[in-house]
């Protein structure tokens, strides 16, 4: 369960997006309860004159906040990392809203900033103890649900935290909210696993890293969103849309020396029917990363209309389309699979209010 707690406590299902109406929140946790922290930042400077590109009348009001605004801060007993960001021109698509690729980049960036802020970011995507043993973090699963994409120049706040997930996994959650209104924009959850960068095989969660992370792990953490539905098998014979000949470039590799997960999302969306891309926008995506991809790979992106899509013909789901996806090497092995849900770009107000309620009525 996801809970907003200010002067009173409101509970809502994890499958719904919540809206924050108060700037101050609190954090706690049981296995199925997560309370999020947030504080609206104060104005940090007053600028009245610029001469030759130099601020001549710059007065910091809260010097300790300047670093926080630029690099984020730890809040609520250092369990949650919080950062304010602005949507830049190179983050947006043709509709002047943040693209899914930019969103995924912000998820990765704030997670790494979190690790850096607690002093545990070592060589590449790893902690100090992991680095000693040639271990790195890799994404295994990713779930994202979008209520509204922020627009160009919008300022949004990200709250993210980590928690143990199963015997060998580390979960990470994010909440993106509009800094001005407090409304929740995006929820995301991921599962990270350890991989040995020499053998390229997954590793157990070593006890040294577990102990290293213990002070910063959310007790009894639980994903803000998750999907228990199994992915359907999509192959070249059953696909409704296919994109062949996809290949990575040097800029698609990350410090783990394989194709970054953000590129996987790009490729999966490349396989979606163009008619959907024109009339709909991505509302949610569930991904499972199954195999590494390297520079010499050639891939195909396969998409198929979900067999249960007909269930969404009611008024409550008017305009929703579900797709199943498979990203495969041309030689056959599957590197990722996923499911996406798309909603009309310009739905009527009735459908919009039924799909994604922003306010909770008590």
């Amino acid at each position: 369960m996801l809970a907003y707690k200010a002067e009173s406590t409101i509970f809502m299902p994890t499958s719904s997006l919540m809206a924050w109406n108060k700037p101050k929140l609190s954090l706690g946790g049981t296995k199925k309860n997560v309370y999020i922290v947030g504080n609206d930042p104060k104005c940090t400077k007053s600028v009245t004159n610029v001469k030759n590109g130099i601020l001549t009348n710059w007065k910091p009001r809260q010097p300790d906040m300047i670093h926080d605004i630029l690099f984020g801060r730890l809040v609520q007993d250092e369990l949650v990392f919080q950062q304010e960001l602005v949507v830049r021109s190179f983050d947006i698509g043709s509709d002047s809203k943040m693209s899914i690729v930019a969103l995924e980049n912000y998820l990765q960036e704030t997670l790494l900033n979190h690790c850096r802020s607690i002093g545990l970011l070592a060589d590449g995507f790893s902690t100090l103890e992991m680095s000693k043993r040639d271990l790195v973090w890799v994404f295994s699963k990713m779930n994202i649900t979008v209520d509204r994409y922020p627009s160009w120049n919008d300022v949004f706040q990200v709250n993210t935290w980590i928690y143990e997930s199963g015997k060998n996994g580390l979960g990470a959650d994010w909440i993106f909210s509009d800094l001005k209104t407090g409304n929740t924009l995006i929820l995301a959850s991921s599962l990270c696993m350890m991989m040995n960068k020499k053998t390229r095989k997954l590793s157990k969660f070593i006890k040294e890293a577990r102990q290293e992370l213990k002070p910063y792990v959310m007790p009894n953490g639980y994903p803000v969103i998750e999907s228990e539905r199994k992915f359907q098998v999509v192959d070249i014979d059953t696909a409704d849309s296919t994109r062949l000949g996809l290949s990575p470039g040097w800029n698609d590799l990350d410090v783990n020396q394989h194709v970054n997960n953000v590129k996987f999302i790009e490729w999966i969306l490349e396989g979606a029917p163009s008619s959907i891309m024109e009339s709909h926008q991505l509302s949610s995506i569930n991904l499972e990363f199954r195999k590494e991809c390297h520079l010499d790979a050639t891939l195909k992106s396969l998409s198929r209309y979900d067999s249960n899509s007909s269930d969404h013909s009611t008024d409550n789901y008017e305009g929703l389309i579900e797709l199943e996806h498979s990203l495969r090497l041309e030689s056959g092995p599957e590197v990722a699979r996923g499911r996406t849900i798309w909603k009309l770009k310009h739905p009527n107000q009735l459908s919009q209010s039924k799909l994604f309620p922003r306010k909770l009525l008590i």
Side-chain angles (χ1 to χ4, degrees):
M1 296 286 287
L2 193 64
Y4 160 68
K5 187 176 181 182
E7 297 175 355
S8 60
T9 301
I10 306 168
F11 292 92
M12 66 182 293
T14 58
S15 59
S16 302
L17 290 174
M18 68 176 184
W20 295 344
N21 299 318
K22 301 288 185 181
K24 294 185 179 180
L25 308 171
S26 61
L27 180 84
T30 63
K31 184 176 181 180
K32 294 195 176 182
N33 292 329
V34 179
Y35 307 153
I36 310 306
V37 158
N39 284 295
D40 288 344
K42 305 298 182 183
C43 180
T44 62
K45 62 184 180 181
S46 175
V47 179
T48 59
N49 190 26
V50 178
K51 185 177 181 180
N52 296 327
I54 300 175
L55 303 180
T56 59
N57 186 20
W58 187 87
K59 297 179 180 179
R61 295 181 183 175
Q62 295 182 353
D64 57 316
M65 288 290 289
I66 297 176
H67 182 276
D68 293 347
I69 293 296
L70 293 176
F71 303 106
R73 70 203 68 85
L74 292 170
V75 295
Q76 195 59 42
D77 299 325
E78 299 189 337
L79 292 175
V80 175
F81 176 77
Q82 185 181 90
Q83 187 172 8
E84 287 75 36
L85 298 159
V86 61
V87 181
R88 297 157 298 183
S89 61
F90 48 82
D91 292 329
I92 62 175
S94 59
D95 57 357
S96 295
K97 296 183 181 297
M98 181 191 290
S99 68
I100 186 64
V101 171
L103 167 57
E104 183 67 22
N105 281 325
Y106 279 122
L107 294 177
Q108 182 171 284
E109 179 69 11
T110 51
L111 179 59
L112 293 175
N113 286 346
H114 184 189
C115 294
R116 182 183 293 109
S117 67
I118 59 180
L120 292 181
L121 188 63
D123 180 28
F125 301 153
S126 63
T127 69
L128 300 174
E129 292 296 332
M130 290 171 61
S131 181
K132 295 176 184 178
R133 297 162 177 81
D134 295 316
L135 297 175
V136 294
W137 290 117
V138 293
F139 282 115
S140 175
K141 295 180 180 179
M142 177 70 71
N143 299 310
I144 304 171
T145 299
V146 179
D147 181 6
R148 180 176 66 83
Y149 289 94
S151 300
W152 186 11
N153 285 329
D154 281 356
V155 181
F156 58 97
Q157 184 181 84
V158 181
N159 285 272
T160 181
W161 62 97
I162 57 176
Y163 51 92
E164 291 187 23
S165 180
K167 293 183 179 180
N168 296 314
L170 184 73
D173 284 1
W174 296 263
I175 292 183
F176 285 48
S177 59
D178 187 306
L179 191 62
K180 182 183 295 186
T181 66
N183 287 338
T184 301
L185 303 173
I186 299 160
L187 299 178
S189 293
S190 72
L191 176 64
C192 298
M193 307 291 287
M194 292 184 182
M195 183 188 76
N196 187 297
K197 63 182 180 182
K198 290 185 176 180
T199 66
R200 314 308 290 185
K201 294 182 179 180
L202 294 180
S203 167
K204 293 182 179 180
F205 201 138
I206 59 172
K207 63 180 181 180
E208 291 83 1
R210 195 182 301 275
Q211 189 67 28
E212 189 178 31
L213 290 166
K214 186 176 180 179
Y216 309 103
V217 169
M218 184 71 68
N220 302 313
Y222 202 77
V224 293
I225 55 170
E226 61 180 342
S227 175
E228 297 181 354
R229 290 175 56 190
K230 293 184 177 180
F231 294 106
Q232 298 182 20
V233 177
V234 182
D235 55 38
I236 194 69
D237 296 323
T238 60
D240 294 309
S241 178
T242 303
R243 181 69 184 271
L244 304 176
L246 300 171
S247 59
W250 282 105
N251 290 335
D252 299 321
L253 303 182
D254 61 24
V255 296
N256 287 339
Q257 304 305 309
H258 58 201
V259 175
N260 190 274
N261 66 92
V262 179
K263 192 63 181 180
F264 279 39
I265 294 179
E266 284 190 71
W267 282 333
I268 283 177
L269 298 183
E270 286 283 342
S274 57
S275 59
I276 293 179
M277 305 290 284
E278 293 171 0
S279 60
H280 288 66
Q281 66 179 8
L282 187 63
S283 175
S284 73
I285 183 168
N286 308 119
L287 294 170
E288 182 179 280
F289 304 100
R290 303 174 65 85
K291 185 179 177 64
E292 285 187 288
C293 181
H294 299 284
L295 194 60
D296 58 351
T298 304
L299 303 96
K300 51 189 175 185
S301 180
L302 312 175
S303 299
R304 186 182 68 185
Y305 289 97
D306 189 275
S307 59
N308 297 318
S309 288
S310 60
D311 294 343
H312 300 293
S313 60
T314 63
D315 289 340
N316 282 356
Y317 296 94
E318 183 181 357
L320 281 187
I321 296 176
E322 289 191 30
L323 294 175
E324 295 284 340
H325 304 271
S326 177
L327 187 62
R328 296 176 177 270
L329 297 175
E330 289 282 9
S331 57
E334 188 176 43
V335 298
R337 58 177 58 175
R339 178 184 301 108
T340 57
I341 298 179
W342 304 75
K343 62 180 180 180
L344 287 170
K345 290 183 177 180
H346 306 289
N348 60 58
Q349 188 62 36
L350 177 62
S351 297
Q352 200 172 31
S353 64
K354 288 182 178 179
L355 285 171
F356 299 104
R358 293 189 178 184
K359 302 291 183 181
L360 289 179
L361 301 179
I362 307 174

